[in-house]
Amino acid sequence: MMNSATEQKSIRPSAYQFFPAKELSPGGWLRRQLELQAQGLAGHLDEIWPDVRDSQWIGGDREGWERVPYWLDGFIPLAYLLRDPELVRRAGRYVDAILSAQREDGWICPCSEEQRGSYDVWAVFLIAKVLTVYHQCAGDERMEPAVYGILKNLRNHLNAHTLFGWGAARWYECLIPLYWLYERRPEKWMLELAHLLRIQGMDYDALYQILPMDAPKAHPHWSFHTHVVNTAMALKAGGLYSRLAGGDPEDSARRMLAVLEQKHGTVTGHFTGDECLAGNAPTQGTELCGVVEAMYSYEQLLALTGNSEWGDRLELLAFNALPAAVSPDMWAHQYDQLTNQIECSRIPGEAVHFTSNNGESHLFGLEPNFGCCTANFGQGWPKLALSAFLKGEGEIAIALLVPGTLSTRVQGIGVEIEVRTEYPFRDTARIEVRAEKPVRFPLSVRIPGLAAEARINGEPAGPGTFVPIVREWSRDTLEVELSFGLQWKERPNGLTAVQRGPLVFALPIRAEWLRHEYVREGVERTFPYCDYELKPQEKWNYGFCSREAQVKLRPMTDCPFSPEGAPVELVLPMAEIPWESAYGVCAREPDSRAPLEEPEEKRLIPYGCTNLRMTEMPMLS
C-alpha cells in the first residue's frame, strides 16, 4: 500500500472548496426564499407525505430507495442555513434512524440481505453523499465511519453485482462522497472503487461521440441514456473523474452541452426533457429534477475548475427555471415546465405530447406525474446558498453575488464578509469586509459573464472572471457596479426571446388557480399541499414589435419570484397575432406573423416570476 502522502497526490485538488454551513448566513431575498421553502412543501414532507413520513429508511413501510435521501439532501442544509432548531431536530431524527440501521458489514439501505443483489445501488451513492452534507452542516463526526462502512461494503458488493439501472447511469455521484472520504483517510481500495465505478458505469463521453442524441420521433419514448435527470447529473461526470484520471476537467461537459444546446436547448439555459431529451420546441417540458441537478453539476464544476462560466450557467437556472417551476408560496411544484406555458390543465391521453410523461406532468401540485421531484426539488435554493462563497488556497472567493454573510477565520483571525445586494433584480452590490484585526489575503469577486461592463470601486472589472483583490483587510467596502443590455435571442422556428443579464423575460398571463383535493393510491392531497390547474384569464398570442424596451424597477417584496412581486419589468410594444392552441398547449409557432390589431404597450417580467407565460415569440418588425 502506498503511503498517505503519495496517495493524496493521486487525486487532483479542486480550485475551490465549500465553506461549512455554520459559517454562512444567507440574507435578503435569498434568505426569504429559504424561509418560504421551510414554510412550504419541502419543509413539511416528513409530516404530510407518506413516502418520507412513513419511509422504510426510518422503520416504516413506504418507499425505501431514493426519496428520503433526496429530501434530506435539501432539507439538511435548509435547516442549518436557517439556524432553525426544529428543522435541525427533524433532520437529525432521520439521520439517527438511518445510522442506527446500518449493518455491521457497512450496508445501510433498507432491504434484506437476500434483496441486496437486486437493489439498485444509486440509493447507496445518494445516502453516502447526504451524510457528507450532514457533516458539512452539523460537523457530526459519526459521518466519517458511516461513509467508510458504506463505501467499503460497496467495493465488495460490486465484485459480485455489477452496476445496473440508475446506479450505472449515475456512477459518478459516488465519487463525491468517495473523494470526501479519501481526503480524510486515504486508502488504496478507494481509488480502485472509483475506477471500478467508471468501468461499470455508463460512458457518457462515448455516448455523445457516437449516438446522434436527437429528439424522439414518436411517443412514448424512454431510455436511460437520454433521461434528462441522468443527463443533468452527468454534466459533472468527466470533471469529477478527471481528479483521478487526469485530463481537461471541462472537456466532457462542454462536449455534452454543445449537443444539448443545439438539439434540446431552451432560452433559460437548460435543455428539455419530459422525461427524456425532447427537442428545442418551447412547448416541450423540462423536468424540475433536471433543473436542480444541473445546478448542482454547475456548482461542482465551478468549485472544481474556478471557471466563472459555470457560475453564469448556474445563475441562469437559479434565477429562471428553478423558481418558475414552483408556486410562489412553494407549496406546489411542476414536474415539467414549458417555456411557452399558456395553461396548466390535464391533457387527455391521446393528445399528450411529452416524450413519456403523462398529461398531468405540468400541473402544479404535490407529486404531479411522479414523486422524485417532490423529494428532490428542495436542494435547489439551499445548495445555491452553500455555493455563494468558496475558499481556495489562502483565498476567499465571492462566487455568486447573492445577499449573505460569511463568518470565517483567516490565518487565525476572525473575518466577516457581507454581500448586500438585490442582484439579479438590481445591478449593484456592496461588499463589506470586517476583520478582528488587519489581515492580508486575496479576496476574489466573480463578475457575471452576462454583464456588458463592470466596475469595482470605480475600476474596470472583467465580466466572466474572478477579480482578485489582494490587500490588508480591516474595515473595507467594495462597490460593484454592473451594466446590462438587452440581448435578443434567436430561437428555432423564427421565434425570439429577450434577456437582460441572467434574467430571461416573459409575457405573464394572468391565471386562475383551480384547486383539486383528493386521495390517490393512499396519498392525500389537501390544501395547502393539493393540486392545481391554471387557466389563462387574458390573451397570450402576441409578437414583438420592437427591439427597444424600457426597463422599469419596482419595489422589492417578500416574494420577488411571483407575478405580483416582480421587482423589474420591460415595457415594449407588442401586437396580437393568430396563434392556435389545443388542450391548453399552444402551437410551436404562430399561424401567421401578421398583426391582428395595432401594437399595444405590454409588460414583460422575469421568467422566474411567472406561472403562465409566453417567452419565445416572433419579431414582427
Side-chain angles (χ1 to χ4, degrees), residues 361-620:
S361 300
H362 60 316
L363 302 189
F364 283 81
L366 174 64
E367 51 173 312
N369 189 69
F370 196 63
C372 58
C373 291
T374 307
N376 192 27
F377 84 89
Q379 71 166 295
W381 291 118
K383 289 191 177 179
L384 183 81
L386 289 175
S387 305
F389 296 89
L390 298 174
K391 57 183 173 180
E393 191 65 37
E395 171 196 3
I396 294 176
I398 298 172
L400 300 169
L401 287 176
V402 293
T405 302
L406 169 70
S407 301
T408 190
R409 302 193 74 79
V410 178
Q411 302 167 32
I413 298 170
V415 174
E416 187 173 85
I417 302 172
E418 182 178 5
V419 179
R420 296 184 179 183
T421 184
E422 293 174 346
Y423 177 84
F425 306 112
R426 301 292 188 263
D427 303 343
T428 61
R430 181 182 178 91
I431 300 168
E432 297 182 0
V433 183
R434 300 178 286 271
E436 291 176 345
K437 60 182 179 179
V439 58
R440 185 178 182 84
F441 65 91
L443 174 64
S444 295
V445 180
R446 183 185 146 268
I447 302 298
L450 294 168
E453 295 179 344
R455 293 181 178 274
I456 299 179
N457 284 357
E459 296 296 320
T465 65
F466 280 86
V467 178
I469 303 168
V470 184
R471 66 166 67 161
E472 187 175 78
W473 302 93
S474 179
R475 293 289 187 273
D476 300 275
T477 300
L478 302 177
E479 300 286 351
V480 181
E481 299 173 88
L482 306 172
S483 175
F484 297 107
L486 296 185
Q487 295 178 294
W488 291 90
K489 304 287 187 177
E490 300 306 317
R491 303 294 302 151
N493 302 312
L495 303 181
T496 305
V498 62
Q499 182 176 326
R500 184 178 184 273
L503 296 178
V504 175
F505 281 78
L507 178 70
I509 305 168
R510 189 172 65 255
E512 178 186 10
W513 290 66
L514 302 178
R515 183 189 302 177
H516 297 286
E517 298 181 277
Y518 60 99
V519 177
R520 179 187 291 169
E521 297 178 355
V523 179
E524 185 178 32
R525 286 127 170 110
T526 303
F527 179 81
Y529 51 96
C530 54
D531 291 356
Y532 298 89
E533 291 185 278
L534 275 61
K535 298 285 188 177
Q537 300 299 297
E538 59 185 331
K539 294 178 181 178
W540 52 267
N541 50 311
Y542 285 89
F544 298 110
C545 294
S546 173
R547 293 181 183 270
E548 300 294 326
Q550 182 181 3
V551 180
K552 288 189 174 183
L553 301 182
R554 303 171 64 194
M556 288 291 295
T557 69
D558 283 342
C559 193
F561 288 105
S562 65
E564 300 77 21
V568 60
E569 64 184 22
L570 301 181
V571 179
L572 73 170
M574 303 183 73
E576 189 179 352
I577 56 175
W579 202 325
E580 293 296 319
S581 67
Y583 302 106
V585 179
C586 68
R588 293 189 174 195
E589 57 181 305
D591 308 317
S592 168
R593 268 68 171 173
L596 296 174
E597 303 287 347
E598 289 297 313
E600 58 184 296
E601 193 174 81
K602 299 295 288 185
R603 165 179 168 265
L604 274 60
I605 64 174
Y607 180 101
C609 303
T610 65
N611 302 310
L612 299 181
R613 61 189 160 265
M614 286 294 289
T615 312
E616 298 185 11
M617 295 167 280
M619 184 65 66
L620 305 182

Side-chain angles (χ1 to χ4, degrees), residues 287-349:
E287 186 182 335
L288 180 50
C289 271
V291 173
V292 295
E293 291 296 352
M295 286 175 58
Y296 183 62
S297 287
Y298 296 145
E299 289 157 1
Q300 289 289 314
L301 286 167
L302 179 63
L304 176 63
T305 68
N307 186 343
S308 176
E309 175 190 342
W310 304 113
D312 295 332
R313 291 184 178 275
L314 171 60
E315 288 186 10
L316 271 174
L317 295 190
F319 303 151
N320 296 286
L322 172 60
V326 184
S327 63
D329 65 1
M330 293 203 197
W331 270 106
H333 74 284
Q334 294 177 287
Y335 195 80
D336 290 331
Q337 64 176 282
L338 283 62
T339 307
N340 283 356
Q341 183 167 281
I342 65 169
E343 186 174 326
C344 297
S345 58
R346 291 180 173 85
I347 305 172

